[in-house]
Amino acid sequence: MSGHPAEPWRVKMVEPLRATTREYREQAIRAAGWNPCLLRSEDVYVDLFTDSGTNAMSDRQWSALMRGDEAYAGARSFYVLEEAVRTHYGYEHVIPVHQGRGGENILSRCLLRPGTHVAGNMYFPSTRAHQELNGATFHDVIIDEAHDPDDEHPFKGNVDLGKLKVLIDAVGAGTIPYLSIAATVNMAGGQPISVANLTEVAELAHHHGIPVFLDTARAVENAWFVKQREPGWADRSITDILRALCAPTDGAVMSAKKDSLANIGGWIGLRDPELAEQARGLVLLYEGLHTYGGMAGRDMEAIAQGITESVDEDHISARIAQVEYLGRRLHTAGVPIIRPVGGHCVCVDATATLPHIPRTQFTAQTLAAAVYLDAGIRGVERGGVSAGRDPRTGENRFPPLEFLRLAIPRRVYTQSHIDLVADSVIRVHRHRDRITSGLAFAYEPSHLRFFQARFAPVRGTSIWD
């Protein structure tokens, strides 16, 4: 018995994968500037770079594509999406965008001005980039436990109300246009926020006239953790809990490429009709008409169907179980990971795995390259590279956590693939002393540098001895 539940789906179509040799992968990662993001997908055997847009759609979603209404204005497919969002998330005004960061851009342009401040439960690179480009300063008010990879706190995504109060007193409520709260915190390893904490955060913010906006990209996973861990919610449905998470907030930005099992798309959900009208005006400039927001009608149909499937308890329980299985295998083998295991990913603590590689040599980026070299597995760095530079000082930012994120796409990989990943990461960990060089920038973009940066080994021509 493996302790892993059978997947609640069966394979209907396959995509061939190509195994490569160690020598081939060495050439590929060199050509990619030691950045797994720049690899060609055909050179990757198991791709855990992200769970965003990499999900397998169901037969019902593929059927929904055929119902897409491609009218430029007022397409029927928009109203199908609108009804799905209203039903499951509870926001009255639904504005489609091409993906989550399109929504981040619109919200930032609507509300932020130079000198303003945004507080949230840990940063996310694209979200903070939009905030800073519009003149705001981001403040992390997450609980301290979130920065400790070994802490088993069940809701490491919670906001520290004391930190939030200090910030409001220090800068003044009038300079905080909104709070940016994530349901499951990506940069903490997919850690959830409790309904109780989010409700208290909203009460405090609203007392000071500050709206609260929720990143709902993985809110269904957050709802699952609430059901399992938060007292009083065990007998509630995932649909009920999802509505309860959204209820205290004033709006949301959604990347439908995550929970909603789609390959593209997103939306902004709002309660304030005036803000909604302002957002629609900017969507016209940056995304497309307000009834398609950069998406085809077929994409909106697939998202609407995906929303319905996302809250199915057989689906979400199996999804979380697959992630937990990988985490359990690594933890049992002594690989240091962020605990507890999050909703969409398993995160290997790079500083604990490679203590001999200084953070100035981008420890997690080095580990990501090593895991690719070993078995063709692509993960992504989350640490000094992702954090970028302070816009005021120009210095590299080094957040408390430095890890390799292994994000698992939904309904894509079997247990055999997950076992292959576990075997590889365990093997790299056992031979970690052979990783003798970190990395330095050979090319550094101005924004979101982890996507396009190129690196070179600090010593010699390879990171391995």
Side-chain angles (χ1 to χ4, degrees):
M1 297 292 290
S2 67
H4 185 275
E7 290 84 356
W9 40 263
R10 60 186 176 192
V11 176
K12 205 167 190 176
M13 181 178 69
V14 297
E15 176 186 357
L17 297 176
R18 180 171 64 95
T20 57
T21 65
R22 174 64 178 259
E23 291 74 20
Y24 183 94
R25 294 192 294 273
E26 180 90 30
Q27 293 177 357
I29 196 68
R30 287 177 189 275
W34 298 91
N35 185 353
C37 185
L38 297 179
L39 291 164
R40 292 176 177 264
S41 65
E42 59 261 34
D43 293 336
V44 176
Y45 194 66
V46 177
D47 200 343
L48 305 184
F49 184 82
T50 183
D51 64 318
S52 178
T54 56
N55 307 297
M57 293 202 300
S58 70
D59 53 355
R60 289 164 178 78
Q61 284 181 289
W62 283 105
S63 297
L65 290 177
M66 301 305 295
R67 298 196 300 267
D69 178 1
E70 306 305 341
Y72 186 84
R76 180 190 58 80
S77 297
F78 164 72
Y79 297 103
V80 173
L81 173 64
E82 180 183 58
E83 181 60 26
V85 174
R86 286 176 174 175
T87 299
H88 290 90
Y89 292 86
Y91 299 107
E92 176 66 19
H93 301 280
V94 181
I95 307 165
V97 289
H98 79 282
Q99 64 180 73
R101 73 191 57 165
E104 294 169 353
N105 176 46
I106 298 301
L107 189 64
S108 296
R109 287 178 176 273
C110 282
L111 297 176
L112 300 182
R113 301 292 181 269
T116 55
H117 301 265
V118 177
N121 53 347
M122 203 175 283
Y123 78 99
F124 185 70
S126 66
T127 311
R128 185 170 68 182
H130 284 298
Q131 292 164 354
E132 291 177 346
L133 286 170
N134 284 277
T137 300
F138 177 81
H139 301 267
D140 186 2
V141 292
I142 203 167
I143 59 174
D144 290 339
E145 290 89 339
H147 299 293
D148 182 354
D150 299 317
D151 197 295
E152 293 279 356
H153 193 291
F155 290 102
K156 291 167 81 170
N158 281 357
V159 170
D160 185 320
L161 294 172
K163 291 180 183 178
L164 180 56
K165 291 175 183 176
V166 168
L167 176 66
I168 293 171
D169 290 342
V171 303
T175 70
I176 304 176
Y178 65 90
L179 303 187
S180 178
I181 306 297
T184 68
V185 180
N186 198 338
M187 302 302 284
Q191 303 296 325
I193 185 171
S194 70
V195 174
N197 180 256
L198 182 53
T199 301
E200 291 181 317
V201 168
E203 289 174 351
L204 174 61
H206 292 158
H207 175 74
H208 290 279
I210 303 170
V212 178
F213 293 98
L214 190 66
D215 180 345
T216 56
R218 300 180 181 91
V220 177
E221 293 173 0
N222 201 116
W224 175 259
F225 287 125
V226 167
K227 185 178 179 72
Q228 303 304 310
R229 300 176 184 176
E230 188 167 0
W233 293 94
D235 296 328
R236 301 286 291 276
S237 70
I238 295 298
T239 298
D240 287 346
I241 300 171
L242 180 61
R243 288 287 296 254
L245 280 166
C246 298
T249 68
D250 300 275
V253 171
M254 176 65 167
S255 170
K257 299 166 66 177
K258 282 85 167 177
D259 273 350
S260 298
L261 302 161
N263 300 133
I264 197 66
W267 46 264
I268 305 168
L270 297 170
R271 305 195 195 281
D272 181 353
E274 293 184 6
L275 179 58
E277 196 60 24
Q278 182 184 359
R280 290 187 189 101
L282 289 177
V283 164
L284 290 171
L285 289 174
Y286 294 105
E287 298 288 311
L289 199 69
H290 63 281
T291 54
Y292 76 88
M295 284 189 286
R298 55 184 174 270
D299 296 321
M300 292 189 281
E301 295 275 359
I303 292 169
Q305 175 63 32
I307 289 172
T308 300
E309 294 178 14
S310 72
V311 296
D312 178 82
E313 304 216 3
D314 287 338
H315 157 72
I316 189 61
S317 63
R319 191 285 189 281
I320 300 296
Q322 188 178 55
V323 179
E324 289 178 340
Y325 175 79
L326 176 58
R328 186 166 60 250
R329 277 214 57 196
L330 297 184
H331 182 64
T332 301
V335 178
I337 63 172
I338 292 180
R339 299 284 299 164
V341 175
H344 71 289
C345 61
V346 176
C347 299
V348 181
D349 185 345
T351 52
T353 301
L354 303 177
H356 56 291
I357 303 296
R359 294 196 66 187
T360 53
Q361 295 181 18
F362 304 116
T363 317
Q365 187 74 27
T366 303
L367 182 59
V371 169
Y372 172 74
L373 281 170
D374 182 77
I377 297 158
R378 174 158 63 175
V380 67
E381 179 270 2
R382 285 292 180 246
V385 178
S386 295
R389 294 182 181 272
D390 187 301
R392 292 166 295 182
T393 68
E395 296 296 317
N396 281 315
R397 293 185 279 210
F398 291 102
L401 296 177
E402 175 93 11
F403 57 85
L404 167 64
R405 189 190 72 179
L406 303 170
I408 301 178
R410 297 159 187 83
R411 305 190 299 205
V412 171
Y413 292 115
T414 67
Q415 185 178 349
S416 295
H417 292 110
I418 301 302
D419 280 327
L420 182 146
V421 172
D423 292 343
S424 175
V425 174
I426 292 167
R427 188 162 52 244
V428 170
H429 181 256
R430 288 175 177 168
H431 297 285
R432 59 194 179 276
D433 292 342
R434 295 185 57 192
I435 301 172
T436 56
S437 176
L439 297 167
F441 280 115
Y443 165 68
E444 180 184 356
S446 299
H447 305 294
L448 300 181
R449 58 190 188 179
F450 64 92
F451 282 126
Q452 294 182 301
R454 303 181 73 86
F455 302 86
V458 173
R459 292 184 297 279
T461 60
S462 180
I463 62 173
W464 291 86
D465 64 11

